Amino acid sequence: MATANFRIWRGDAKGGQFADYQTEVAEGMVVLDAAIQIQGEQAPDLAMRWNCKAGKCGSCSAEINGNPRLMCMTRLDQLPLDQPVTIEPMKAFPLIRDLATDVSWNFRAKKKIKKFNPRPPDHEDGTWRMDQQDVDRVQEFRKCIECFLCQDVCHVLREHDLHEEFIGPRLIVYTAALEMHPLDVEQRVGDLKNSQGIGYCNITKCCTKVCPEDITITDNAIIPLKERVVDEFYDPLNWLLRLFKPDDTRTP
Amino acid sequence: MAQYEQYEHDVVVIGAGGAGLRAAIEAAAAGVSVGLVCKSLLGKAHTVMAEGGIAAAMANVDERDNWKVHFADTMRGGQYINNARMAELHAKEAPDRVRELEAWGALFDRTQDGRILQRNFGGHQYPRLAHVGDRTGLEMIRTLQDHGIHQGLDVHMECTIIALLKEGERVVGAFGYDRERGRFRLFRAKAVVLATGGIGRAFKVTSNSWEYTGDGHTLAYDAGAELMDMEFVQFHPTGMIWPLSVRGILVTEGVRGEGGILFNNDRKRFMFDDIPDLYRAQTTDDPEEGWRYTQGDQDARRPPELLTRDHVARCIVREIREGRGSPHGGVYLDISWIKEKLPNAAEHIQRKLPSMYHQFKQLANIDITKEPMEVGPTTHYVMGGIRVDADTQMSCVPGLFAAGECAAGLHGANRLGGNSLSDLLVFGQRAGEYAARFAQEHDGGKINEEQVEAIAQWALEPFARAESHTDGANAFQLQYALQEHMQDLVGIVRNEKDMASALDLIEQMKKPAANISVMGNREYNPGWHTGLDLHNLLTVAEAVTRSGLFRKESRGAHFREDFPDRDEALGKVNTILRKGPDGEMQVTQETIPDMPDELKQIIEEIR
């Protein structure tokens, strides 16, 4: 049976290095199969995450040959196997060990986004009627599997480490799903501008490129929300109107 | 003395899939403090993989549907060894639980008049599954997660519980470790809800992830609770089989619900060959009528592809064994044929089954809008589990509750597709409510330090063995060996001889499993975690095998070639397992409680 070489990052926050492994490969194998095989046979303490193995849970995010990918959806026959396949942890989050990073910030930041707030039920049976096309409009955002690869490549988080000022593409997608939800009546645009730093995004679209669910993050989520921030806070007419609405707490 | 971090909650919920999250939300709403412990990150539990939908008799698509039909369907699917009270509660409460999800932000596909759309599924008489394309589980878990984080829950991510703590008869806490640092954690609690899911990892070909090692089953069993009907393991008829590395990954029943057909290497739709008596009246023998059924014709009867999972899986095995299988040892599942019927078939398939399209395209180079898939059975679900009270979900151990897949009763001998997600919601809610009530009525108990010390010591032994260079086994290799044995000997087709040898092998594995040694340190060390999980896997493997040996008949998912027929007497009993005084697993039977006349009548009327 054919073999392939893998260079896997081993180490923790204090430091580490690549370790080389050779393992058997078969038709149709994905990077995660190889990593699990290496773990089972050669490196039982190799730290990594995975669950569904089918691109649905978003656990096995890593950087494969430098590209942020899900290990379970990256086929070995799409990689050049004449050289070692490198597998590294995501860089935008603190390293725990080997391929496992501390992604808990994403969960904490999400909690600060105002939750779903539906309008009162519009039907006598206590439920709502919705059109399929209104539902379809947000399904793209609700497909997100929270793999955090978009956060990983966002230079605001990755290079500038602005986790406290900017919520990142994943959570803007989450906000977009709420803001465009057919029933939701909450206001989140002020927070996006102020505490959540949507202005930091300069639309390089790296997040869109790496999304394993093919969500058009920049064009469909970030840009429309940026436009709403502009409409609300920088449109002269709106600005004037706000002067006469003292109970509006959204400060420009 | 072992070092540990201490936490105190009124209710501790172990497991954060659909049932655990729903239980935690309910308990928090009752005003008690809640800790939610999950083995992985929040939102990654197996619920995320559920594809087809949530079964609830809302009658949005077919107004003939109601809770009574859903109840009768569930009982028929379970071959009448279900707990009828659970099936009743489930059928009655599922619609409210679905509407509640919508009020929390879930977005389901819609009917023309804007209500929640429902789709056909195996064993359900009417279109009943609320769904979002084929990613309903993701919608459900994300909705619960995003709602739950605002309810004041304390979430302990990546934390594994290895023992329940007791004071006398009663449960008073749980003990485990965090994956990140490997530090022990002790949770004091007035009530504990187990919602740990299944046991799929006991088998080689499974749709379950690494987490599903029977943790809740074993925690409860070791703490003195009873396990029930563990012989009933569901092999989902359609898992991927090629390439080998994706073997076992689920292909949703929704493919058949949308008109997909099964055929063998002669292109014959073999499901027409064997229609069980129980379903003869509801099933068509005309392919054209079957197609009309999937397209919503209310006068049409269902195609045989939509018979219950146990039956479809066995028919597939028959085709493969008799040499009519596909090149890689499965059969064909084809949705692309509907292009003969629909002008925009490719687009329709991609819209109805987006993640199936994606999954096959990416992992198998197959375009399901153009060509058939190769599929075969995969270990998917365990109907058996912790025996609980139907209304409260409490086990026989005071303060210990269970909900979802790790609890038994609702599904009997075979679960209908779609009844799992509704099970999680209905009984998650109930477990949360009654656990909170129990916590309000009881004071915190006393922790037995000796018990804690013994568990901590047991958990650390693998490191000590590695240090003293005692040659212990590799946990992963032991797990693989167990999976091979269970797959070969206690799989879809069973017999006395195979199961007896499985029991011997399990017995032989106990010693090496108790003597593994672990490389590395305590920080995020999967070798260690896998080693500790082995105890659970061996416990549930033994439970399935002993129960399988006990039930000398074929019923639902439990098929014995040496007893191929149903046995009327065994149809009146549940299989019960208890831990004996010397740690041995005791098997007994208990008569199924008599059903109230009102429910009997429903079953009689809805044939």
Side-chain angles (χ1 to χ4, degrees):
Chain A
M1 203 179 249
T3 61
N5 295 306
F6 294 83
R7 307 197 73 195
I8 303 179
W9 179 258
R10 303 296 311 265
D12 55 24
K14 296 191 284 284
Q17 60 195 359
F18 281 105
D20 290 306
Y21 301 94
Q22 191 174 59
T23 196
E24 286 183 349
V25 294
E27 186 187 341
M29 262 173 80
V30 293
V31 171
L32 179 61
D33 292 318
I36 290 175
Q37 205 166 291
I38 289 165
Q39 188 186 55
E41 291 168 357
Q42 306 171 46
D45 62 338
L46 172 61
M48 62 177 184
R49 291 192 180 98
W50 65 276
N51 280 293
C52 79
K53 224 181 151 291
K56 294 191 172 72
C57 76
S59 298
C60 62
S61 308
E63 299 188 5
I64 300 163
N65 287 349
N67 301 310
R69 308 278 300 264
L70 295 177
M71 287 195 280
C72 72
M73 296 306 269
T74 307
R75 291 172 56 127
L76 290 177
D77 57 16
Q78 292 162 350
L79 302 172
L81 292 186
D82 53 346
Q83 45 194 299
V85 176
T86 62
I87 315 178
E88 297 167 80
M90 290 191 284
K91 302 292 190 328
F93 308 111
L95 185 62
I96 296 175
R97 213 164 65 75
D98 304 339
L99 302 178
T101 54
D102 179 358
V103 292
S104 58
W105 164 78
N106 294 284
F107 294 86
R108 289 193 301 274
K110 189 188 215 182
K111 223 170 153 173
K112 293 181 192 154
I113 296 167
K114 287 181 189 154
K115 66 175 182 179
F116 174 65
N117 179 12
R119 64 168 192 253
D122 47 26
H123 206 266
E124 60 199 19
D125 63 5
T127 65
W128 296 268
R129 297 289 179 270
M130 283 180 252
D131 282 340
Q132 183 68 40
Q133 59 177 25
D134 293 333
V135 170
D136 286 342
R137 202 169 298 133
V138 274
Q139 292 302 14
E140 179 185 12
F141 308 133
R142 301 184 68 86
K143 281 196 307 188
C144 171
I145 55 174
E146 300 200 324
C147 65
F148 307 128
L149 287 171
C150 57
Q151 309 284 64
D152 183 43
V153 291
C154 174
H155 63 99
V156 182
L157 303 172
R158 188 182 176 107
E159 267 102 50
H160 302 285
D161 209 17
L162 291 172
H163 295 71
E164 294 315 310
E165 282 114 289
F166 181 51
I167 55 174
R170 157 59 193 142
L171 293 175
I172 297 179
V173 167
Y174 173 65
T175 308
L178 288 165
E179 284 287 303
M180 297 180 207
H181 192 295
L183 304 182
D184 185 80
V185 293
E186 190 57 80
Q187 290 291 342
R188 298 178 188 82
V189 177
D191 289 347
L192 272 178
K193 175 184 172 292
N194 300 319
S195 57
Q196 295 165 359
I198 193 169
Y200 281 109
C201 168
N202 57 358
I203 326 186
T204 54
K205 302 196 180 185
C206 306
C207 51
T208 305
K209 277 190 211 111
V210 300
C211 177
E213 284 290 311
D214 296 322
I215 302 171
T216 317
I217 302 174
T218 319
D219 289 356
N220 292 354
I222 299 179
I223 292 175
L225 288 177
K226 273 178 172 279
E227 284 170 353
R228 295 206 14 208
V229 169
V230 171
D231 283 350
E232 291 245 350
F233 295 99
Y234 301 102
D235 179 84
L237 193 64
N238 270 336
W239 183 80
L240 259 176
L241 283 173
R242 237 190 347 268
L243 287 179
F244 301 100
K245 275 169 57 185
D247 57 337
D248 191 335
T249 53
R250 284 166 285 150
T251 49
Chain B
M1 280 297 285
Q3 302 282 309
Y4 52 80
E5 290 168 4
Q6 243 187 106
Y7 300 87
E8 196 166 339
H9 305 286
D10 292 323
V11 173
V12 163
V13 179
I14 303 169
L21 273 162
R22 188 63 191 81
I25 289 168
E26 193 66 19
V32 301
S33 69
V34 180
L36 179 61
V37 182
C38 42
K39 207 170 171 181
S40 284
L41 297 172
L42 189 60
K44 309 296 185 196
H46 222 286
T47 304
V48 89
M49 289 287 287
E51 291 159 355
I54 313 172
M58 296 187 288
N60 288 356
V61 170
D62 193 321
E63 57 191 25
R64 291 172 296 180
D65 202 11
N66 58 53
W67 78 264
K68 292 177 180 174
V69 189
H70 192 183
F71 166 77
D73 286 351
T74 301
M75 294 298 293
R76 185 185 297 113
Q79 310 232 337
Y80 304 107
I81 63 157
N82 327 48
N83 180 308
R85 173 67 178 157
M86 279 176 85
E88 178 193 359
L89 291 170
H90 168 254
K92 281 181 174 165
E93 294 175 6
D96 280 346
R97 295 288 83 79
V98 172
R99 287 189 276 264
E100 181 176 74
L101 270 192
E102 181 159 273
W104 293 346
L107 277 175
F108 297 102
D109 285 346
R110 317 307 293 184
T111 60
Q112 288 291 340
D113 66 347
R115 293 184 296 168
I116 294 172
L117 181 62
Q118 299 183 269
R119 72 156 47 123
N120 284 311
F121 238 57
H124 293 283
Q125 204 163 335
Y126 302 117
R128 190 175 284 148
L129 270 68
H131 62 277
V132 194
D134 57 359
R135 55 160 197 83
T136 315
L138 172 64
E139 187 71 14
M140 179 164 138
I141 198 167
R142 200 67 80 229
T143 300
L144 291 170
Q145 171 190 344
D146 294 344
H147 182 75
I149 56 174
H150 296 287
Q151 308 305 307
L153 311 175
D154 286 318
V155 182
H156 304 267
M157 292 202 288
E158 297 200 307
C159 178
T160 306
I161 299 298
I162 52 175
L164 297 175
L165 305 174
K166 286 177 74 178
E167 181 190 14
E169 286 305 298
R170 189 193 146 189
V171 110
V172 292
F175 189 74
Y177 61 85
D178 74 85
R179 287 168 71 74
E180 183 172 340
R181 298 280 165 235
R183 285 183 293 226
F184 290 127
R185 289 188 184 182
L186 189 152
F187 298 91
R188 291 170 182 273
K190 295 170 187 164
V192 171
V193 180
L194 294 170
T196 53
I199 64 161
R201 279 278 137 187
F203 294 82
K204 186 180 174 192
V205 179
T206 175
S207 62
N208 290 192
S209 88
W210 68 272
E211 292 186 291
Y212 298 91
T213 49
D215 296 7
H217 292 79
T218 308
L219 290 169
Y221 171 78
D222 284 342
E226 296 160 331
L227 301 182
M228 184 169 95
D229 294 341
M230 288 297 289
E231 63 274 36
F232 298 108
V233 176
Q234 179 165 80
F235 299 92
H236 192 290
T238 59
M240 290 178 83
I241 57 164
W242 188 258
L244 267 185
S245 67
V246 299
R247 187 159 208 153
I249 294 177
L250 194 65
V251 181
T252 176
E253 192 167 320
V255 175
R256 284 169 283 146
E258 298 295 340
I261 56 172
L262 289 164
F263 58 82
N264 62 20
N265 64 9
D266 300 328
R267 289 200 69 89
K268 179 164 195 261
R269 280 178 74 177
F270 56 85
M271 287 307 300
F272 282 105
D273 296 350
D274 178 10
I275 298 169
D277 289 341
L278 212 49
Y279 286 94
R280 196 166 295 277
Q282 307 178 359
T283 311
T284 179
D285 49 10
D286 170 22
E288 195 52 43
E289 185 180 347
W291 164 252
R292 281 190 280 115
Y293 175 90
T294 64
Q295 300 311 297
D297 181 344
Q298 299 195 354
D299 297 323
R301 289 167 302 164
R302 84 182 72 177
E305 275 88 355
L306 288 176
L307 285 164
T308 53
R309 290 176 173 178
D310 52 343
H311 180 75
V312 179
R314 268 195 303 279
C315 289
I316 291 175
V317 169
R318 180 193 69 213
E319 292 304 304
I320 298 167
R321 283 194 168 185
E322 293 176 8
R324 295 184 295 272
S326 65
H328 299 108
V331 295
Y332 296 102
L333 170 64
D334 190 18
I335 184 74
S336 71
W337 81 276
I338 69 172
K339 57 183 176 260
E340 296 165 20
K341 299 283 184 187
L342 299 175
N344 53 348
E347 195 188 308
H348 178 80
I349 294 166
Q350 283 192 49
R351 190 163 49 81
K352 288 289 186 180
L353 302 162
S355 78
M356 285 304 104
Y357 175 77
H358 190 224
Q359 183 174 311
F360 273 89
K361 190 105 187 149
Q362 208 143 342
L363 296 174
N365 285 341
I366 290 207
D367 181 344
I368 66 168
T369 67
K370 294 201 175 82
E371 52 193 320
M373 304 158 239
E374 268 187 86
V375 295
T378 178
T379 315
H380 184 52
Y381 189 88
V382 59
M383 275 67 73
I386 302 156
R387 190 184 194 197
V388 291
D389 175 75
D391 287 76
T392 64
Q393 297 294 104
M394 191 162 88
S395 69
C396 65
V397 176
L400 181 61
F401 298 76
E405 187 173 353
C406 73
L410 172 62
H411 308 294
N414 173 60
R415 173 175 71 80
L416 297 185
N419 270 0
S420 177
L421 292 188
S422 41
D423 172 11
L424 307 183
L425 294 171
V426 168
F427 294 105
Q429 186 272 336
R430 284 185 163 266
E433 178 185 340
Y434 286 94
R437 198 177 292 181
F438 188 95
Q440 283 161 339
E441 289 165 358
H442 292 80
D443 293 327
K446 193 169 166 299
I447 300 293
N448 177 343
E449 292 293 340
E450 269 173 44
Q451 191 198 352
V452 171
E453 194 59 34
I455 301 157
Q457 205 183 336
W458 168 78
L460 293 177
E461 274 169 7
F463 292 108
R465 272 192 290 273
E467 260 170 45
S468 64
H469 304 285
T470 319
D471 262 349
N474 173 326
F476 289 102
Q477 299 306 321
L478 275 174
Q479 194 197 87
Y480 299 154
L482 177 67
Q483 290 167 344
E484 295 266 359
H485 297 328
M486 291 300 286
Q487 190 77 31
D488 292 346
L489 303 171
V490 202
I492 303 178
V493 178
R494 301 167 173 173
N495 63 53
E496 185 87 16
K497 186 170 145 275
D498 284 355
M499 286 190 285
S501 42
L503 210 51
D504 281 345
L505 288 162
I506 291 165
E507 209 52 49
Q508 285 167 30
M509 289 181 73
K510 284 182 181 172
K511 205 170 160 201
N515 277 300
I516 55 150
S517 65
V518 168
M519 192 172 137
N521 60 36
R522 286 168 69 172
E523 291 175 11
Y524 218 110
N525 188 338
W528 181 39
H529 308 154
T530 303
L532 297 181
D533 288 346
L534 272 178
H535 166 67
N536 306 344
L537 271 182
L538 284 165
T539 305
V540 293
E542 184 177 346
V544 171
T545 311
R546 284 197 190 279
S547 306
L549 281 163
F550 173 82
R551 190 171 283 278
K552 292 183 170 38
E553 65 157 351
S554 291
R555 180 178 298 273
H558 177 60
F559 182 76
R560 289 191 55 160
E561 55 192 356
D562 45 354
F563 297 95
D565 300 314
R566 277 201 295 271
D567 177 302
E568 211 182 313
L570 285 168
K572 295 183 166 55
V573 299
N574 293 119
T575 317
I576 307 289
L577 300 172
R578 286 186 201 96
K579 194 172 189 169
D582 301 318
E584 79 286 5
M585 192 176 276
Q586 299 175 341
V587 191
T588 54
Q589 62 177 53
E590 270 186 43
T591 306
I592 298 168
D594 201 29
M595 215 184 291
D597 289 341
E598 179 204 327
L599 296 181
K600 272 188 200 154
Q601 206 183 329
I602 294 171
I603 289 173
E604 280 307 309
E605 279 168 8
I606 301 170
R607 280 283 172 197

